[in-house]
Amino acid sequence: MKDSTVGRMPAAKAVWIEQLRVVGLAIRREGALAAVALVLGSVAVIAFSRIPALQAIVNEETAELVFHPGESGGGFFAVFAGLLLPLVVWKGERRFGDTPLWSLPVDHRRHALLKVAAGWVWLLAILGAALVWVTFTVLASGGTLGIDEVRLFLHDPLGVTTGTPGAVESVNWTTPWWEWAMPFSAATAAYLLASTLMLATARPLFWAAGLWVGGAVVLGAADIWDIDWIKRTTDFVTWYIGGDSFTRGVQLPTGWREAWTLLPTVTMWTALSAIWIGLGLAGVLWASGRRRFS
């Protein structure tokens, strides 16, 4: 080391590029396995959609594949990836106690924040590549992207059973642009919240399991005592991560149909994104400032 470099801090750009490289190396094995699984799944979907002999094996006609990001499970897998990625980003790096981070010529908090940011960039890149690949798979299998349908909107649940006019309304619904962005925003929120646990505690899996059990208890209590605001909150959370929410079955003169109790809007998506991503950012900023490396 030259005398002219002693005590000098590396430039932020150099640290950022190094973090991108290090995180990329850390996730390459898991990323490769996920890519292989995605490719194999795509080949299977296209084969069963295009080859009659394979359709005969399952002894039924394969339905046309429709990819709708809000309801096709894409949001769930994106959130799942966001929750797991921090474990891979920080694997092999001791975050507490006697850690090599003391020897790095970078402020510890900045190191943690840049590492989280690098993981987020890789997460978006992976999700973007996966979305492009899924789009290719859907089109190659003869499927369609998005939906264009008539939905039933339930104004008055009690009025449906009594035949009250206007209790149910038919609404034209086409996949809006913001639903294609929703997997990215939901995955970002999940990644930031999971990163908060990684930075705040030495036992993130223990706390994650505890939060899961606690959530299950709260939901069970809401179901037993019919606590409406908890159920409604659960619907919003479930919808945001790509689950089936705001729907219920109704008996109409024409038969049993599924109706929506609330139509999703861009305002809902924006508000939920601001809440969950804001909580994640606040958590990461707080956790990164703790004296974890002492």
Side-chain angles (χ1 to χ4, degrees):
M1 181 181 293
K2 297 180 180 179
D3 292 340
S4 60
T5 63
V6 174
R8 291 180 55 186
M9 298 288 287
K13 181 179 179 181
V15 178
W16 169 244
I17 294 175
E18 182 64 15
Q19 286 290 7
L20 284 175
R21 186 188 69 83
V22 170
V23 172
L25 291 174
I27 68 175
R28 60 181 177 179
R29 182 177 63 182
E30 290 77 5
L33 291 175
V36 169
L38 185 62
V39 170
L40 292 178
S42 297
V43 171
V45 168
I46 295 173
F48 277 95
S49 300
R50 295 294 190 180
I51 303 177
L54 292 178
Q55 295 180 7
I57 294 177
V58 297
N59 197 29
E60 64 180 20
E61 183 179 353
T62 304
E64 180 181 301
L65 184 62
V66 177
F67 180 66
H68 178 212
E71 300 175 6
S72 300
F76 172 78
F77 286 108
V79 169
F80 188 67
L83 292 174
L84 290 183
L85 189 61
L87 293 173
V88 184
V89 169
W90 291 92
K91 70 178 180 180
E93 186 162 348
R94 296 162 61 185
R95 308 178 310 282
F96 296 87
D98 185 15
T99 167
L101 287 174
W102 275 117
S103 64
L104 295 177
V106 181
D107 175 75
H108 302 142
R109 186 177 194 184
R110 186 170 72 158
H111 169 85
L113 292 176
L114 286 176
K115 196 172 188 70
V116 170
W120 175 69
V121 170
W122 278 106
L123 173 64
L124 294 190
I126 292 170
L127 291 181
L131 181 61
V132 171
W133 188 262
V134 169
T135 299
F136 163 78
T137 301
V138 171
L139 296 178
S141 67
T144 57
L145 298 174
I147 58 174
D148 187 4
E149 62 185 15
V150 176
R151 292 184 171 180
L152 293 180
F153 179 57
L154 189 61
H155 288 284
D156 182 7
L158 296 178
V160 174
T161 58
T162 59
T164 303
V168 179
E169 176 188 3
S170 296
V171 178
N172 293 322
W173 179 263
T174 302
T175 302
W177 66 266
W178 50 266
E179 283 202 349
W180 295 99
M182 193 161 67
F184 294 90
S185 61
T188 296
Y191 173 77
L192 291 173
L193 293 172
S195 295
T196 298
L197 283 180
M198 292 296 297
L199 293 173
T201 174
R203 304 173 65 186
L205 293 179
F206 172 81
W207 284 99
L211 291 172
W212 185 85
V213 172
V217 171
V218 171
L219 292 179
D223 187 58
I224 293 174
W225 287 294
D226 197 23
I227 305 175
D228 186 67
W229 70 269
I230 295 181
K231 293 182 177 180
R232 201 61 166 174
T233 300
T234 303
D235 277 340
F236 277 103
V237 174
T238 303
W239 171 77
Y240 189 64
I241 64 176
D244 185 19
S245 297
F246 309 120
T247 60
R248 62 178 295 179
V250 295
Q251 182 65 44
L252 301 177
T254 56
W256 188 262
R257 293 284 301 277
E258 186 178 76
W260 282 58
T261 59
L262 180 67
L263 289 176
T265 64
V266 65
T267 302
M268 283 173 51
W269 170 63
T270 303
L272 288 172
S273 296
I275 291 171
W276 289 110
I277 294 178
L279 286 175
L281 281 173
V284 168
L285 290 173
W286 165 76
S288 65
R290 294 187 60 199
R291 294 187 59 83
R292 297 169 292 109
F293 307 121
S294 59

